[in-house]
Structure formats: structure tokens, C-alpha cells
Amino acid sequence: MRNALRLAVALCCVFGVMLGARAEDSNQEPKEQLKILFIGNSFTFYNSLNDTVQDMLNASGYSAKAVRMAPGGWRFRQHFKGELPAKSKDKPTPEVIASQKWDYVVLQEYSSGAVSDRAEFLEYGQKLAEMIRQNNPTTKILLYQTWERCDGMFEGYGDDPERREAVLKSWEKRYKAPNQETVEALKDGIQGGYDQLAKLTDSTVVPVGKGFFTVGDKYNLFCDEGKNTPYHPNPLGTYLGGCMFYKTITGESPVGVYEKLSKFGKEYKLTAEEAEYLEKVADQVVVLPE
């Protein structure tokens, strides 16, 4: 009889704790969901960068929903003007921007656009930023700085005349003979273009291209594109970019995110060793304002 009584008391205590915990949880306000919009093209679409960032945030205790507008090859100009690929069922980008008050909007231009069409890049980057802020003045704009598609395009040539010739030759080999405007833009490369747009729009550069440059030959970050020169990111390249957005948005180091994703039930196509290295590069390259 005593044993039965003790068991009953113990069960009452356990259920009481459980009910108390549930009551406490029900009194907690749900976390406000971060609303993130990626505006770009295939560099965003490949391996779904928006989903990667969303998973990283949610696995780390945040509440986030990240969506994308990323038709292949699209430029700022096409996004701003509301153009869509043939037979697309998506809404035009201006409508998507106006659909809700976004916490973050990410802008990513055509891979070489910040160099080959610097004037257009700056013009429509500013127009998109103005459209975003008219919809919600508190939206934070992030600029997804991409990487080079030919030698020297990312970091430029500065005042080095020998390097200048090498950069121009590599550009002409991949594209065509650059005009004077492109020559000037190549001087500071993709980095300079995004830095200039950031100043004009009070935005933050997420230096993914610099992350690629830092990794160098340590790991291959590009997918296999057959006979074409590879330039789209493979899962490692997208993971690196995701880590850099994670740190920019949260202010926290991305080191350890892979383990959090695993516990959250998300599997990514890279090893724990590769993830750890890329997380450390992202943590090193993304420098937060003091």
C-alpha cells in the first residue's frame, strides 16, 4: 500500500512539473519571424542560398523565412522594371517587395555586372534600394558581393601596370575588348563596385567573393559545368556564402553551425571538416562594425 501511495505521489509531481512547464511555455511570446528576400539570379538560385540561410538561422534558435526572386542571368535593371522570364508564374519583383515589410533584402547583380556595366549597376542598385526603403524604411539592405569569372576581375589591378595588362587580357579572352568605362571599373574590380554601391545606398556588403578568394585552392567551390569555365557555386560554395550571411544578420560567429544543422535534421553535401574550415573563413572575412 505504501509503495502504491509513493508511486501515486511521484506521478502527481511529474505531471505537475510537466503541466507547469507547458503553462510557462504558453505564456512565452512567440519569436518574431525574420522576413528575408533574396533578389538575384543563378548565383542565388544554385543550391538554394535562401534556404541555406533560413536553415542556419532556424537551427540556431531564430525564426526566419527566406524567399528568393532569382531568374537565371537577371540584372538589377530587369528586377526593377518587373520583367519576368517567359512562362514564369512568379510575381514581378516590385510586387514581391511591396507584399510585406521585409527585415532584410539581399541584392545580387549579374556576375560581371559590377564591372562590365558599372554605371547601370549603380543606377539600378540605387533605384532598387529606394523602392525597398519606400516600402519599409527600416529594411536592412545587404549586397551579395559575388566572385570573379576571369583572373583579376574580383580584386582589380590597382596602380600596377603589369597586372593591368594581365587583367585586361584575361577579360578580353573571356568576353571582348573592354571599353574605357570597363577598364576603369576593372581597376578596383567587383569589390570596388559593391563597396561603391554600399556607400550610395547605406547598405552592407556581404563579401562572399572575398570568401571565395580567401579559400583559394584549398577546396573547390565551383560546380562542374562541362566544357564551360566553372563559375556557379557548388554546395561548398553556397555553404560558405550562407555562413557569411548568417554572421552578417546575427552578429554571431558561424563556427559550429554545421553541428546545429545536423541536430536540426538538416543534411548538407559537405563533410564536417569542410564545414568547419568554411565556417572559420566566413568568420574571418565578415568584419562587423564596432
Side-chain angles (χ1 to χ4, degrees):
M1 185 73 179
R2 282 183 181 177
N3 289 338
L5 181 60
R6 287 174 181 172
L7 178 61
V9 171
L11 288 172
C12 286
C13 290
V14 170
F15 284 126
V17 170
M18 291 174 63
L19 290 171
R22 287 181 180 176
E24 184 179 343
D25 288 343
S26 65
N27 292 330
Q28 290 180 352
E29 293 184 7
K31 291 182 179 179
E32 186 173 350
Q33 188 178 63
L34 288 174
K35 296 178 285 295
I36 307 169
L37 171 63
F38 281 76
I39 297 174
N41 49 53
S42 56
F43 278 52
T44 293
F45 179 84
Y46 265 56
N47 313 303
S48 194
L49 176 60
N50 58 297
D51 286 339
T52 301
V53 174
Q54 177 180 292
D55 287 348
M56 288 179 171
L57 290 168
N58 289 334
S60 300
Y62 295 89
S63 175
K65 179 65 177 177
V67 300
R68 66 175 182 247
M69 287 294 296
W74 237 234
R75 294 176 176 269
F76 285 167
R77 166 178 47 80
Q78 292 165 293
H79 280 294
F80 178 78
K81 292 185 175 182
E83 297 177 19
L84 287 171
K87 298 182 181 180
S88 173
K89 296 181 180 180
D90 291 330
K91 293 181 179 179
T93 300
E95 287 188 28
V96 177
I97 290 173
S99 66
Q100 56 185 298
K101 294 187 180 299
W102 302 97
D103 295 294
Y104 293 90
V105 175
V106 179
L107 299 179
Q108 178 251 314
E109 174 61 293
Y110 183 78
S111 58
S112 61
V115 171
S116 60
D117 300 287
R118 176 71 62 86
E120 179 185 297
F121 165 76
L122 295 175
E123 177 186 357
Y124 284 96
Q126 290 180 84
K127 286 182 176 180
L128 279 170
E130 184 178 354
M131 179 184 288
I132 292 163
R133 296 237 168 83
Q134 284 179 346
N135 178 64
N136 180 20
T138 63
T139 297
K140 296 179 179 65
I141 299 174
L142 305 180
L143 304 181
Y144 173 10
Q145 176 205 79
T146 55
W147 45 90
E148 62 188 325
R149 287 184 61 172
C150 69
D151 292 340
M153 189 172 73
F154 176 73
E155 69 274 25
Y157 60 80
D159 295 319
D160 186 338
E162 291 186 10
R163 179 168 169 74
R164 177 181 185 276
E165 293 306 313
V167 170
L168 296 185
K169 284 181 180 179
S170 63
W171 175 273
E172 186 170 356
K173 182 178 180 180
R174 181 167 181 87
Y175 299 96
K176 57 184 179 181
N179 58 30
Q180 190 56 42
E181 181 183 328
T182 302
V183 172
E184 289 300 315
L186 278 166
K187 187 172 185 178
D188 61 7
I190 290 176
Q191 288 186 103
Y194 276 92
D195 288 345
Q196 189 176 352
L197 182 58
K199 291 178 182 177
L200 292 170
T201 58
D202 190 25
S203 304
T204 299
V205 176
V206 183
V208 182
K210 189 174 181 180
F212 271 63
F213 186 74
T214 302
V215 172
D217 296 328
K218 172 71 175 180
Y219 288 116
N220 174 34
L221 303 179
F222 301 95
C223 63
D224 183 0
E225 307 202 43
K227 295 180 181 179
N228 297 323
T229 302
Y231 57 91
H232 286 108
N234 64 16
L236 275 71
T238 298
Y239 189 84
L240 173 62
C243 288
M244 299 182 81
F245 276 100
Y246 175 88
K247 182 174 181 180
T248 302
I249 291 171
T250 66
E252 301 170 4
S253 170
V255 175
V257 164
Y258 184 81
E259 183 178 354
K260 293 177 184 177
L261 286 167
S262 298
K263 291 179 179 178
F264 198 63
K266 297 291 182 178
E267 294 184 5
Y268 280 79
K269 296 179 180 179
L270 72 168
T271 67
E273 180 182 357
E274 291 167 338
E276 182 182 10
Y277 176 81
L278 296 173
E279 288 164 2
K280 289 179 178 178
V281 169
D283 196 25
Q284 167 195 336
V285 173
V286 175
V287 179
L288 301 173
E290 296 182 356

